[in-house]
Amino acid sequence: MSENDKGVNVKPRPELTQFCKQMDAKGLLNFIIENRKNLYAIREELPVALESATEPAHLVLDLLEGFYLPDETNQPLDERNAALQGMRKSCTMIIEATAALLARIDPGADHLLNPETKQQAKAIADEWKPKLANAGIDAADANSLEALAFLQLLATFRIASEFDEEELCKLVLVVPHCRQAPELCHSLGLAHKVPGIIEILVNNAKQIDAVHLIHAFQLTENFPPVPLLKTYLKDLRRNSQGKGGNSGGATGAQNDANAQELAALKAVISCIERYKLEAEYPLDPLQKRVAQLERSKSDKKRGRDFSKHQQSKKHRANGGYRGFRASGGNAASSRQAPPVYADRTAYGAMPARYHQAASNHYDYQVPGQSAYAQQINDQRLYYYPQDDRVAPNSYNAAPANYNCYAGSGLQPSHQPYM
């Protein structure tokens, strides 16, 4: 489907169209926040709904005025943070929808982005920029979302040339895991900076994000992806060595290491399947290791649940036996202790019956889903108009030396999949 055909068959829900027609920025934002369960469908409908607005760019900029809310609020901290994150995700999606709208109905023209509109966008960006001073390559999710919204704002309203390239590259390093990252690099005029961004990602153990950029910008000759993926797994295994042990703390650390390895394996498998690298990196050993780790996780969970069940039974047994209350006298005295049996031989074998099961106590942390797992399912990138400052792509530089990623010295003998 061409850019101009996108959205032709999409019918937005009436509420979206009505808020846009009325230029009701607050109502539009609140509606999206309240319907966040339908966020994917709304994201598809928004560019079409925004056409109903008399000034879509002005509507979106009015909506962004509340991106950073005042600190004065009576809400508890957790609730406030959750509400703020939901609002910022909605704002980011609306900026993205505006970019899609402009690319479809106004490719290369500026009649919807007059100088006054651009100046208003620049003022908002100037207000946001100082708040991102501490954002880095290992930024938390909150800073990552703020950086993404800032870059989207610059790309959509074509004001990237007003900001320093190096500062923008630093912010790209905060959001390389986002599906919008490659298109943002194009729209912000940073395509010629991508090789340097990839090198920084590799040096900071962000090989998965690097591989996505490598393929988006067709840099596989300069940065062979398979050695990077293999090194990613090798380094992860090497860093987790020595975390095992018999103590509870060591067991928990090993469980964490297993969870991280499982998530990393799934991310690597996704990259191999997405970019059709099976000939260079067979999937079978990786999938077997995934099955092994998932089986271990399941076994440990069953052992933990069974141990809790046995402890509960033991607690009930030690607390008193039903049906042996004394008939008469003080009722409290009848509950002081379980009855004493003259002949204990019949019960002598009972503890051994559950001895083995009761000793299997595990503490396992379920691994989180890979940051990129959901993103790879959404192949669509919004199209941003090219900034006037964009320089021609320069990918003809001499290939970087990545031989160090293909070495076998780091490969553990018990991990054949690497």
Side-chain angles (χ1 to χ4, degrees):
M1 186 180 294
S2 67
E3 294 177 25
N4 291 330
D5 290 335
K6 288 183 179 179
V8 171
N9 297 322
V10 176
K11 183 178 181 180
R13 55 202 72 200
E15 296 90 342
L16 287 176
T17 303
Q18 186 67 21
F19 287 126
C20 291
K21 281 183 178 179
Q22 296 175 350
M23 294 289 290
D24 185 354
K26 184 177 180 180
L28 177 62
L29 180 59
N30 288 337
F31 177 80
I32 294 174
I33 293 173
E34 291 169 0
N35 291 272
R36 55 186 176 275
K37 292 183 178 180
N38 301 317
L39 213 55
Y40 183 83
I42 290 177
R43 188 175 68 188
E44 299 292 330
E45 299 169 14
L46 258 179
V48 181
L50 285 171
E51 289 188 52
S52 303
T54 54
E55 296 182 73
H58 184 68
L59 170 66
V60 173
L61 291 175
D62 286 347
L63 178 146
L64 297 179
E65 294 290 346
F67 191 83
Y68 286 97
L69 295 174
D71 293 333
E72 296 80 11
T73 177
N74 295 324
Q75 282 184 307
L77 182 61
D78 291 343
E79 292 182 13
R80 184 168 74 244
N81 288 342
L84 191 59
Q85 287 298 94
M87 183 270 291
R88 288 176 177 171
K89 286 180 181 179
S90 300
C91 287
T92 304
M93 187 183 70
I94 294 171
I95 303 174
E96 198 175 357
T98 307
L101 168 67
L102 294 175
R104 181 160 54 86
I105 68 173
D106 185 30
D110 274 355
H111 73 268
L112 290 181
L113 296 178
N114 56 51
E116 180 183 352
T117 301
K118 287 189 173 184
Q119 190 61 36
Q120 185 182 356
K122 173 70 163 50
I124 294 175
D126 287 337
E127 180 185 349
W128 290 4
K129 186 172 174 289
K131 302 179 187 298
L132 297 169
N134 296 325
I137 195 168
D138 293 317
D141 289 343
N143 285 336
S144 176
L145 181 58
E146 293 174 40
L148 178 62
F150 179 82
L151 295 175
Q152 295 265 26
L153 176 66
L154 269 55
T156 299
F157 290 91
R158 306 174 194 176
I159 55 175
S161 58
E162 303 286 337
F163 296 86
D164 181 71
E165 274 189 355
E166 297 302 322
E167 293 182 353
L168 296 184
C169 285
K170 291 179 180 178
L171 291 178
V172 170
L173 288 168
V174 181
V175 298
H177 57 282
C178 297
R179 62 179 172 79
Q180 303 97 325
E183 190 65 27
L184 283 172
C185 288
H186 275 298
S187 304
L188 296 169
L190 300 177
H192 62 291
K193 293 284 189 179
V194 169
I197 292 173
I198 291 172
E199 290 183 1
I200 295 174
L201 290 173
V202 170
N203 293 334
N204 286 272
K206 304 281 186 181
Q207 287 94 333
I208 299 295
D209 298 333
V211 168
H212 289 297
L213 283 178
I214 288 168
H215 280 271
F217 287 86
Q218 301 179 2
L219 295 173
T220 54
E221 292 185 4
N222 288 11
F223 303 93
V226 170
L228 295 180
L229 295 175
K230 289 183 177 180
T231 300
Y232 175 62
L233 292 179
K234 288 177 183 178
D235 289 347
L236 188 71
R237 287 293 299 167
R238 180 183 61 184
N239 294 335
S240 67
Q241 294 302 313
K243 291 186 177 181
N246 296 323
S247 64
T251 301
Q254 185 59 55
N255 288 340
D256 291 343
N258 289 344
Q260 291 175 4
E261 183 185 0
L262 182 60
L265 283 165
K266 290 181 178 181
V268 169
I269 290 173
S270 295
C271 279
I272 295 172
E273 292 176 338
R274 181 175 184 179
Y275 302 119
K276 305 187 186 306
L277 303 173
E278 292 91 338
E280 300 177 68
Y281 203 166
L283 286 175
D284 188 58
L286 300 175
Q287 291 171 338
K288 287 181 178 178
R289 179 61 176 163
V290 168
Q292 180 184 7
L293 290 171
E294 289 183 335
R295 193 161 51 246
S296 174
K297 177 183 70 174
S298 178
D299 291 344
K300 289 178 180 180
K301 185 178 185 300
R302 281 198 299 268
R304 183 181 60 187
D305 293 343
F306 187 75
S307 179
K308 288 181 179 179
H309 176 66
Q310 295 305 316
Q311 290 177 358
S312 176
K313 290 179 65 176
K314 183 177 179 181
H315 175 72
R316 291 198 301 269
N318 291 337
Y321 291 88
R322 295 181 180 178
F324 287 98
R325 294 194 177 189
S327 57
N330 192 332
S333 63
S334 66
R335 294 194 298 268
Q336 289 179 356
V340 179
Y341 295 93
D343 184 5
R344 296 174 180 266
T345 57
Y347 302 91
M350 284 187 66
R353 182 181 177 187
Y354 300 105
H355 175 72
Q356 182 177 358
S359 64
N360 293 335
H361 181 72
Y362 296 92
D363 180 18
Y364 188 78
Q365 178 178 339
V366 179
Q369 190 69 14
S370 171
Y372 230 103
Q374 182 178 356
Q375 298 158 15
I376 63 173
N377 294 328
D378 188 357
Q379 301 291 334
R380 178 179 54 78
L381 288 173
Y382 283 123
Y383 294 88
Y384 294 89
Q386 188 81 352
D387 188 80
D388 297 338
R389 186 189 61 187
V390 174
N393 297 344
S394 56
Y395 300 139
N396 298 324
N401 181 9
Y402 280 91
N403 292 335
C404 59
Y405 294 100
S408 59
L410 299 177
Q411 180 172 348
S413 59
H414 61 288
Q415 290 300 325
Y417 65 84
M418 295 185 290

